[in-house]
Amino acid sequence: MNIMNGEFLASTGLSELDREVIELFIRMADVLNLPRSVGEIYGLLFIASDPLCLDDCRIRLKISKGSTSQGLKILRSFGAIRTVYMAGDRKDYYLAETSLRKIASGFTNEQIRPHVDSGKERIERIRELLDEQDDDARATLEEKIDLLENWQKRASKTLPLMLKLIGG
Amino acid sequence: MNIMNGEFLASTGLSELDREVIELFIRMADVLNLPRSVGEIYGLLFIASDPLCLDDCRIRLKISKGSTSQGLKILRSFGAIRTVYMAGDRKDYYLAETSLRKIASGFTNEQIRPHVDSGKERIERIRELLDEQDDDARATLEEKIDLLENWQKRASKTLPLMLKLIGG
DNA sequence: CGGTATGTTCAGTAATTAATGAACATTATG
DNA sequence: CATAATGTTCATTAATTACTGAACATACCG
């Protein structure tokens, strides 16, 4: 093993530019309701000039193995990073996906769509409850449920259109 | 004071339908990264047949005065609820805004746009740091920063278009 | 005015969420 | 097969976030 690899390089800190870019992705992760560490890892991979393995991330970001593994898993889950196989190396190396279209699409499909879908199911259950209501309560409630369903449909349709808008 | 108002009605629980609707908005709040109580309050106002005051919300949802006040404040901040003045009553009454367009617009302007804008500022700072780089590091880094800026601009433009899409 | 109704704020606490690190797979390799 | 390298899982701990409730502000009303 090369003495220049591994923990030794941990002290070889990130440049100010690196840190600023990572900070930017930490904020993005926050907006998207993802753990901070996910933002850190993506930011590091984004700014890195070469693919990095789990330990590279862990050491440079000074985070635990568990967080790193979990973070990479989440990023893989919606296609924000890609795995690169290096000849003669058992480790997995990762590269930041740079197509905004792909990332946005993966994110909406994996992290948003399930919520929208479960909302749809819930509205169906609510509509069943509506049938058990008194006739006088019914009319106004029905309007509200219709409105809910209308929102749900518009949200469903807007997701894919949004992805078109973001371009690719 | 009417004996039928106030705390007494706390026991007059919510119907199953009410609870399901509120649960739906709790989930939405979660997706939007808003406190659960905000979802509860909006859900209650949405399903209520009449405007409700702070105490109505507090009692029916069994949450504290502080949470209720804070929750209403947040909902007002992005126009998800409207204040209704009732003649001869000092209390403020609230009604759920039902225009998805208005709510989505208020939400993006108040809760999303500031993040996008601060991202823009950060990218500007990053670009300044780029000038301090060695010539050889510069070229590849510059590409990445260009990409970041490109994303930022597309996100900025997509926000208003999205609102158009969601319809009004 | 003084008292009351209403709403806000915020320090303290509770609940939730993320991070840690050691134990546990898994796979390659001599 | 034994060993080492790599990665995952998950119980515990740490950090964050939301909630509570009492103190405070404000405005009304007799």
Side-chain angles (χ1 to χ4, degrees):
Chain A
M1 184 200 275
N2 184 336
I3 191 182
M4 290 303 287
N5 286 336
E7 308 282 340
F8 177 72
L9 280 178
S11 54
T12 307
L14 301 161
S15 74
E16 195 183 341
L17 193 147
D18 294 341
R19 288 195 306 269
E20 278 287 326
V21 169
I22 290 168
E23 182 74 24
L24 179 69
F25 284 106
I26 289 173
R27 301 304 161 100
M28 286 194 201
D30 191 48
V31 173
L32 300 176
N33 219 347
L34 292 168
R36 165 193 179 91
S37 61
V38 167
E40 290 182 281
I41 296 168
Y42 183 84
L44 176 62
L45 292 172
F46 182 92
I47 202 63
S49 46
D50 301 295
L52 303 179
C53 68
L54 189 149
D55 259 24
D56 291 333
C57 296
R58 177 179 67 76
I59 293 165
R60 294 190 200 183
L61 296 172
K62 299 189 177 72
I63 60 181
S64 72
K65 213 154 105 117
S67 273
T68 314
S69 176
Q70 270 301 123
L72 288 167
K73 184 179 183 174
I74 291 170
L75 288 166
R76 280 193 310 261
S77 81
F78 60 88
I81 60 178
R82 281 187 298 151
T83 307
V84 176
Y85 297 98
M86 307 285 260
D89 195 330
R90 285 173 54 197
K91 292 194 283 296
D92 282 336
Y93 284 80
Y94 298 98
L95 212 52
E97 170 61 57
T98 55
S99 157
L100 180 57
R101 175 73 201 273
K102 277 189 196 162
I103 298 171
S105 159
F107 184 80
T108 55
N109 286 331
E110 301 303 317
Q111 316 272 319
I112 309 289
R113 186 110 44 206
H115 293 287
V116 175
D117 291 349
S118 91
K120 187 178 174 185
E121 286 168 30
R122 191 176 293 274
I123 291 172
E124 281 160 15
R125 245 174 304 128
I126 291 172
R127 207 171 266 294
E128 283 165 23
L129 289 171
L130 192 64
D131 294 338
E132 301 168 9
Q133 299 299 309
D134 299 347
D135 277 355
D136 54 342
R138 189 109 152 241
T140 47
L141 282 174
E142 193 154 18
E143 271 181 52
K144 287 168 198 278
I145 310 308
D146 287 347
L147 185 59
L148 269 186
E149 204 158 25
N150 171 268
W151 286 9
Q152 142 73 35
K153 283 180 181 151
R154 279 152 71 192
S156 261
K157 278 185 193 156
T158 302
L159 284 186
L161 287 173
M162 217 174 70
L163 294 176
K164 287 248 163 60
L165 278 185
I166 206 108
Chain B
M1 184 200 275
N2 184 335
I3 192 182
M4 291 301 289
N5 286 335
E7 308 281 341
F8 177 74
L9 281 178
S11 53
T12 306
L14 302 161
S15 73
E16 197 184 339
L17 193 147
D18 293 342
R19 289 195 306 270
E20 278 287 325
V21 170
I22 289 168
E23 182 73 25
L24 178 70
F25 284 106
I26 289 173
R27 302 303 162 101
M28 287 195 201
D30 191 49
V31 174
L32 300 176
N33 219 347
L34 292 168
R36 165 194 179 90
S37 62
V38 167
E40 290 182 281
I41 296 168
Y42 183 84
L44 176 63
L45 292 172
F46 182 91
I47 202 62
S49 47
D50 301 294
L52 303 178
C53 68
L54 189 150
D55 259 24
D56 292 332
C57 297
R58 177 179 67 76
I59 293 166
R60 295 191 199 182
L61 297 171
K62 298 189 177 72
I63 59 181
S64 71
K65 213 156 108 132
S67 272
T68 313
S69 175
Q70 269 300 124
L72 288 167
K73 184 179 181 175
I74 291 171
L75 289 166
R76 280 193 309 263
S77 81
F78 60 88
I81 59 178
R82 280 187 297 151
T83 307
V84 176
Y85 295 98
M86 307 284 259
D89 194 331
R90 286 174 52 196
K91 291 193 282 296
D92 282 338
Y93 284 80
Y94 298 97
L95 213 52
E97 171 61 57
T98 55
S99 157
L100 180 56
R101 174 74 202 273
K102 277 188 197 160
I103 298 171
S105 158
F107 183 81
T108 55
N109 286 332
E110 301 303 317
Q111 317 271 317
I112 309 291
R113 187 111 43 206
H115 293 287
V116 175
D117 291 349
S118 91
K120 186 177 173 184
E121 285 169 29
R122 191 176 294 274
I123 291 172
E124 281 161 15
R125 244 172 308 128
I126 290 172
R127 207 172 267 294
E128 283 166 22
L129 289 171
L130 192 64
D131 294 339
E132 302 169 10
Q133 299 299 309
D134 298 348
D135 277 354
D136 54 343
R138 188 109 153 240
T140 48
L141 283 175
E142 192 154 19
E143 271 181 54
K144 287 168 198 278
I145 309 308
D146 287 347
L147 185 59
L148 270 187
E149 203 157 26
N150 172 268
W151 286 9
Q152 139 75 35
K153 283 181 182 151
R154 279 151 72 192
S156 262
K157 277 184 194 157
T158 302
L159 284 185
L161 287 173
M162 219 175 69
L163 295 176
K164 286 248 163 60
L165 278 184
I166 207 110

